[in-house]
Amino acid sequence: SSANWMYTLQRASGVVALLFIGAHMALFWWPELGGSVRADDLPELMVRELSRTTAGVPLIAIGYLIGIGACAFHLAHGLGSVALRWGLVVRRGARRALGLVLAVVGLGTFFTGAVVVVYLATGVRLLGEPPPPSPAGACDWPAPTGTAGTSIGPRSTGGAP
């Protein structure tokens, strides 16, 4: 039955989401927390890792898309399960409306993450135009206080650092 499939998919997506979050932490959080990577180097590290290919296939980017999909499904389905168990939606019409809202939430969450992954992996913007280039020598982001000479965020391509 469909309830059995949804139960199985909820559990499987939870396992995939847990593995994805662990891999993300191992790739980006732990090196930064351990001091082997500076916080302002994380954007470049993410671009490098997500755009790396094996036999022409961006395996990490594909893994990220699968992981984001698992997280999005697990979130949306979990919210629906909570709403049903707690009796927040009882009538058939309300359940149908909740299903549509949660489908939009799940797909919107996945699409938002996918847009970011595709951009970081390929440089292709799926939505919107690229921002105008910064004037030569201008910083895109102000340096955080207490860290003279460093910046967080995109770096300008010309001028002094």
Side-chain angles (χ1 to χ4, degrees), residues 49-63 121:
E49 290 297 322
L50 290 173
S51 62
R52 187 169 32 135
T53 62
T54 302
V57 178
L59 295 177
I60 294 176
I62 291 170

mmCIF file of all heavy atoms in Angstrom, residues 49-63 121:
data_model
loop_
_atom_site.group_PDB
_atom_site.id
_atom_site.type_symbol
_atom_site.label_atom_id
_atom_site.label_comp_id
_atom_site.label_asym_id
_atom_site.label_seq_id
_atom_site.Cartn_x
_atom_site.Cartn_y
_atom_site.Cartn_z
ATOM 1 N N GLU A 49 35.382 21.499 -4.331
ATOM 2 C CA GLU A 49 34.885 20.147 -4.062
ATOM 3 C C GLU A 49 33.673 19.800 -4.928
ATOM 4 O O GLU A 49 33.578 18.697 -5.455
ATOM 5 C CB GLU A 49 34.543 19.976 -2.581
ATOM 6 C CG GLU A 49 35.748 19.964 -1.681
ATOM 7 C CD GLU A 49 36.689 18.806 -1.946
ATOM 8 O OE1 GLU A 49 36.214 17.687 -2.239
ATOM 9 O OE2 GLU A 49 37.915 19.014 -1.856
ATOM 10 N N LEU A 50 32.734 20.740 -5.062
ATOM 11 C CA LEU A 50 31.523 20.447 -5.831
ATOM 12 C C LEU A 50 31.778 20.381 -7.332
ATOM 13 O O LEU A 50 31.041 19.719 -8.061
ATOM 14 C CB LEU A 50 30.433 21.476 -5.531
ATOM 15 C CG LEU A 50 29.823 21.377 -4.137
ATOM 16 C CD1 LEU A 50 28.887 22.542 -3.875
ATOM 17 C CD2 LEU A 50 29.111 20.061 -3.930
ATOM 18 N N SER A 51 32.817 21.057 -7.803
ATOM 19 C CA SER A 51 33.086 21.040 -9.247
ATOM 20 C C SER A 51 34.103 19.969 -9.643
ATOM 21 O O SER A 51 34.343 19.757 -10.825
ATOM 22 C CB SER A 51 33.573 22.414 -9.711
ATOM 23 O OG SER A 51 34.783 22.764 -9.071
ATOM 24 N N ARG A 52 34.688 19.273 -8.660
ATOM 25 C CA ARG A 52 35.637 18.202 -8.962
ATOM 26 C C ARG A 52 34.902 17.041 -9.637
ATOM 27 O O ARG A 52 33.779 16.704 -9.266
ATOM 28 C CB ARG A 52 36.300 17.720 -7.668
ATOM 29 C CG ARG A 52 37.412 16.739 -7.898
ATOM 30 C CD ARG A 52 38.221 16.491 -6.662
ATOM 31 N NE ARG A 52 37.461 16.582 -5.432
ATOM 32 C CZ ARG A 52 37.543 15.710 -4.451
ATOM 33 N NH1 ARG A 52 38.336 14.677 -4.550
ATOM 34 N NH2 ARG A 52 36.836 15.858 -3.356
ATOM 35 N N THR A 53 35.537 16.455 -10.642
ATOM 36 C CA THR A 53 34.903 15.356 -11.373
ATOM 37 C C THR A 53 35.758 14.100 -11.310
ATOM 38 O O THR A 53 36.971 14.163 -11.134
ATOM 39 C CB THR A 53 34.668 15.713 -12.850
ATOM 40 O OG1 THR A 53 35.928 15.945 -13.464
ATOM 41 C CG2 THR A 53 33.787 16.935 -12.994
ATOM 42 N N THR A 54 35.098 12.980 -11.468
ATOM 43 C CA THR A 54 35.747 11.686 -11.625
ATOM 44 C C THR A 54 35.233 11.125 -12.934
ATOM 45 O O THR A 54 34.023 10.919 -13.082
ATOM 46 C CB THR A 54 35.392 10.742 -10.452
ATOM 47 O OG1 THR A 54 35.790 11.373 -9.233
ATOM 48 C CG2 THR A 54 36.083 9.395 -10.602
ATOM 49 N N ALA A 55 36.119 10.939 -13.891
ATOM 50 C CA ALA A 55 35.750 10.485 -15.236
ATOM 51 C C ALA A 55 34.705 11.424 -15.841
ATOM 52 O O ALA A 55 33.773 10.984 -16.520
ATOM 53 C CB ALA A 55 35.263 9.042 -15.217
ATOM 54 N N GLY A 56 34.837 12.724 -15.546
ATOM 55 C CA GLY A 56 33.931 13.718 -16.104
ATOM 56 C C GLY A 56 32.601 13.850 -15.382
ATOM 57 O O GLY A 56 31.739 14.604 -15.812
ATOM 58 N N VAL A 57 32.431 13.136 -14.265
ATOM 59 C CA VAL A 57 31.171 13.160 -13.528
ATOM 60 C C VAL A 57 31.392 13.864 -12.181
ATOM 61 O O VAL A 57 32.257 13.431 -11.409
ATOM 62 C CB VAL A 57 30.641 11.727 -13.299
ATOM 63 C CG1 VAL A 57 29.356 11.746 -12.501
ATOM 64 C CG2 VAL A 57 30.462 11.004 -14.617
ATOM 65 N N PRO A 58 30.625 14.897 -11.889
ATOM 66 C CA PRO A 58 30.785 15.593 -10.610
ATOM 67 C C PRO A 58 30.101 14.827 -9.474
ATOM 68 O O PRO A 58 28.976 15.143 -9.059
ATOM 69 C CB PRO A 58 30.119 16.951 -10.863
ATOM 70 C CG PRO A 58 29.068 16.644 -11.875
ATOM 71 C CD PRO A 58 29.643 15.547 -12.739
ATOM 72 N N LEU A 59 30.774 13.801 -8.967
ATOM 73 C CA LEU A 59 30.161 12.893 -8.002
ATOM 74 C C LEU A 59 29.730 13.588 -6.716
ATOM 75 O O LEU A 59 28.654 13.291 -6.184
ATOM 76 C CB LEU A 59 31.116 11.740 -7.686
ATOM 77 C CG LEU A 59 31.430 10.808 -8.853
ATOM 78 C CD1 LEU A 59 32.452 9.756 -8.440
ATOM 79 C CD2 LEU A 59 30.158 10.149 -9.363
ATOM 80 N N ILE A 60 30.542 14.508 -6.202
ATOM 81 C CA ILE A 60 30.170 15.186 -4.957
ATOM 82 C C ILE A 60 28.934 16.054 -5.178
ATOM 83 O O ILE A 60 28.021 16.067 -4.346
ATOM 84 C CB ILE A 60 31.352 15.992 -4.391
ATOM 85 C CG1 ILE A 60 32.460 15.022 -3.960
ATOM 86 C CG2 ILE A 60 30.926 16.863 -3.218
ATOM 87 C CD1 ILE A 60 33.724 15.679 -3.476
ATOM 88 N N ALA A 61 28.868 16.756 -6.309
ATOM 89 C CA ALA A 61 27.688 17.579 -6.603
ATOM 90 C C ALA A 61 26.436 16.705 -6.738
ATOM 91 O O ALA A 61 25.377 17.063 -6.225
ATOM 92 C CB ALA A 61 27.906 18.401 -7.869
ATOM 93 N N ILE A 62 26.575 15.568 -7.381
ATOM 94 C CA ILE A 62 25.433 14.650 -7.503
ATOM 95 C C ILE A 62 25.032 14.138 -6.122
ATOM 96 O O ILE A 62 23.848 14.057 -5.790
ATOM 97 C CB ILE A 62 25.754 13.495 -8.469
ATOM 98 C CG1 ILE A 62 25.849 14.035 -9.900
ATOM 99 C CG2 ILE A 62 24.703 12.393 -8.377
ATOM 100 C CD1 ILE A 62 26.399 13.040 -10.902
ATOM 101 N N GLY A 63 26.023 13.808 -5.304
ATOM 102 C CA GLY A 63 25.736 13.390 -3.930
ATOM 103 C C GLY A 63 25.015 14.471 -3.150
ATOM 104 O O GLY A 63 24.093 14.191 -2.369
ATOM 105 N N ALA A 121 28.926 24.208 -8.506
ATOM 106 C CA ALA A 121 29.604 23.151 -9.252
ATOM 107 C C ALA A 121 29.962 23.565 -10.673
ATOM 108 O O ALA A 121 30.982 23.135 -11.209
ATOM 109 C CB ALA A 121 28.744 21.892 -9.281
#
